[in-house]
Amino acid sequence: NRWSQQNDEETRLIQSLPKFVILASAFVTYLAHTAEDVRKHNVRQWMNLTKLSDQMFDLTSFMSTESELLKYKSEGLPGDELSMENAITILNSVQYPLIIDPSRQATEWLHTNLMDKSVEITNPQDSKFGHTLELAVRFGKTLFIQEIDTIDPILYPLLRQEIITQGTRKSVRIGDKIIDYSDEFKLFLITRNPDISLAPDCESLVTRVNFTV
């Protein structure tokens, strides 16, 4: 009967949940910089490896709700699948995201999405860049670093999450200073350069999210 079928389906979904979590983690970590066809190809391969080929894995429906996706669209995010997947990656990545955004549409969406946060915008060429970074880290602000062409070494301790904990106090090295670190601090690295090249030791410290592919 219908009740038994529904119960069997829910049981199957619960049993598959750990595998779906692995797929979502792998997607966010490895696929956010790739083209849509590459994403689909890899997800199909992973589903076969995890013996989920008889089920459908969709990052957007697994990691967000329909109301959240509609909210992203109302904030200016394009409604295509790749943009939605990228948005989910940006908001859920453990590593700080490097957003490749030539049209700046994704950047404008993110700024709107984080409107209730204290957002600061800077770039590495700004003479007050270091000071702005220090204040954002200390007071838990959300920092957009735009026009990234390479990763400034001053950011490495943050990207490596080298947080120093002494009792209830947290701190981090910024340049030649040790400053207080707030758990509310968020960092988004943004570039319009689709061909940006990072040093090997830095590539693994960020999650690339590509809006050009």
Side-chain angles (χ1 to χ4, degrees):
N1 59 39
R2 191 175 67 177
W3 169 252
S4 296
Q5 290 177 339
Q6 184 177 356
N7 184 61
D8 290 344
E9 178 64 19
E10 289 182 355
T11 299
R12 188 166 68 106
L13 289 174
I14 291 172
Q15 290 173 341
S16 300
L17 184 59
K19 294 180 180 180
F20 282 147
V21 171
I22 292 172
L23 287 178
S25 300
F27 191 108
V28 168
T29 304
Y30 299 112
L31 296 184
H33 71 285
T34 64
E36 191 168 358
D37 59 332
V38 176
R39 298 180 184 195
K40 291 183 182 298
H41 173 74
N42 279 277
V43 168
R44 282 195 300 268
Q45 285 194 320
W46 294 344
M47 289 183 70
N48 287 331
L49 287 171
T50 54
K51 295 181 171 55
L52 287 172
S53 54
D54 62 328
Q55 300 184 48
M56 180 61 66
F57 172 78
D58 177 64
L59 182 78
T60 56
S61 59
F62 183 72
M63 295 285 290
S64 63
T65 64
E66 187 64 30
S67 61
E68 287 173 332
L69 297 178
L70 290 172
K71 177 175 179 288
Y72 299 161
K73 289 178 68 175
S74 72
E75 293 167 342
L77 185 72
D80 60 278
E81 185 176 7
L82 183 139
S83 295
M84 290 296 174
E85 291 171 348
N86 285 351
I88 290 167
T89 299
I90 290 169
L91 297 176
N92 291 279
S93 175
V94 174
Q95 294 178 312
Y96 293 117
L98 171 62
I99 304 168
I100 302 171
D101 181 28
S103 70
R104 298 186 61 81
Q105 196 169 8
T107 305
E108 292 172 6
W109 159 74
L110 185 60
H111 195 280
T112 303
N113 180 267
L114 299 173
M115 193 176 296
D116 61 333
K117 306 292 184 182
S118 179
V119 177
E120 296 283 338
I121 300 175
T122 187
N123 66 74
Q125 293 75 41
D126 192 325
S127 60
K128 296 182 179 179
F129 173 72
H131 181 64
T132 301
L133 176 63
E134 288 180 22
L135 292 180
V137 171
R138 185 187 300 272
F139 295 108
K141 297 182 179 182
T142 296
L143 183 63
F144 287 16
I145 304 180
Q146 300 184 153
E147 308 302 337
I148 291 278
D149 284 316
T150 186
I151 303 296
D152 193 311
I154 198 174
L155 296 172
Y156 277 32
L158 286 169
L159 299 182
R160 294 186 183 119
Q161 301 186 29
E162 295 174 345
I163 310 303
I164 305 164
T165 302
Q166 294 178 316
T168 59
R169 182 189 175 193
K170 294 182 178 180
S171 57
V172 67
R173 178 176 292 279
I174 302 292
D176 58 356
K177 301 178 182 177
I178 301 293
I179 66 167
D180 290 339
Y181 173 86
S182 169
D183 287 329
E184 297 298 313
F185 172 71
K186 295 184 183 299
L187 175 64
F188 299 93
L189 308 173
I190 302 167
T191 181
R192 289 185 287 181
N193 179 9
D195 300 314
I196 185 170
S197 178
L198 301 181
D201 63 333
C202 186
E203 188 71 55
S204 62
L205 300 180
V206 296
T207 296
R208 284 191 186 231
V209 184
N210 197 344
F211 282 87
T212 65
V213 294

